[in-house]
Amino acid sequence: YPGAVTINLGSSGFIACSLEKQNPLLPRLFAVVDDMFCIFQGHIENVPFLKQQYGLTKTATEVTIVIEAYRTLRDRGPYSADQVVRDFHGKFAFMLFDCSTKNVFLAGDADGSVPLFWGTDAEGHLVVADDVETVKKGCGKS
């Protein structure tokens, strides 16, 4: 889409975020912290609790909470990924890519309130979007 932010991750592929076709009730947020790229869509209702749990400042947003939750999962354990996501209350979906480990952390709320579609392209790269047509175009015939 015109105006999309696209980041080249070298051999790992690309991340792109656009504000096109955005639902105003489920806004998209994008952040990069320490080579972790995260796209978040929706809202989390228990932000004050999560800020306290992860030791974040009052200005932290949902996308920075996701990054810090992932960092805790990665570095400090013994938290399971499903437990981390269960602590998020709201309507959301997110995709986080960690350049240092080449890990992808994808999740959505239990009700599937925010669409999240995925597939793989002909080279085996992951294609993720909130729009099924974008995923179909990205995956081609694979």
Side-chain angles (χ1 to χ4, degrees), residues 72-139:
T72 299
L73 177 69
R74 182 192 71 187
D75 296 345
R76 297 181 217 145
Y79 308 105
S80 64
D82 63 325
Q83 180 59 51
V84 169
V85 174
R86 260 186 272 154
D87 287 344
F88 298 162
H89 302 163
K91 298 179 182 207
F92 63 88
F94 63 83
M95 188 279 314
L96 181 146
F97 179 74
D98 183 345
C99 287
S100 66
T101 64
K102 306 288 190 232
N103 286 332
V104 175
F105 185 31
L106 293 170
D109 65 80
D111 296 330
S113 302
V114 177
L116 185 64
F117 303 97
W118 67 275
T120 55
D121 68 9
E123 287 89 38
H125 292 115
L126 183 64
V127 179
V128 180
D130 63 351
D131 174 56
V132 71
E133 292 306 314
T134 300
V135 173
K136 286 180 181 178
K137 288 178 185 175
C139 293

Side-chain angles (χ1 to χ4, degrees), residues 18-31:
S18 169
L19 299 181
E20 295 287 320
K21 299 182 180 182
Q22 180 174 223
N23 179 340
L25 299 175
L26 300 170
R28 289 187 194 118
L29 301 171
F30 178 76

Side-chain angles (χ1 to χ4, degrees), residues 11 16 24 27-28 58 66-67 111 115 141:
S11 63
R28 289 187 194 118
K58 290 181 181 182
V66 168
I67 291 170
D111 296 330
K141 295 183 180 185

Side-chain angles (χ1 to χ4, degrees), residues 1-8 14-19 30 32 37 39:
Y1 293 104
V5 174
T6 304
I7 297 161
N8 185 340
F14 293 88
I15 291 178
C17 183
S18 169
L19 299 181
F30 178 76
V32 181
F37 295 79
I39 299 172

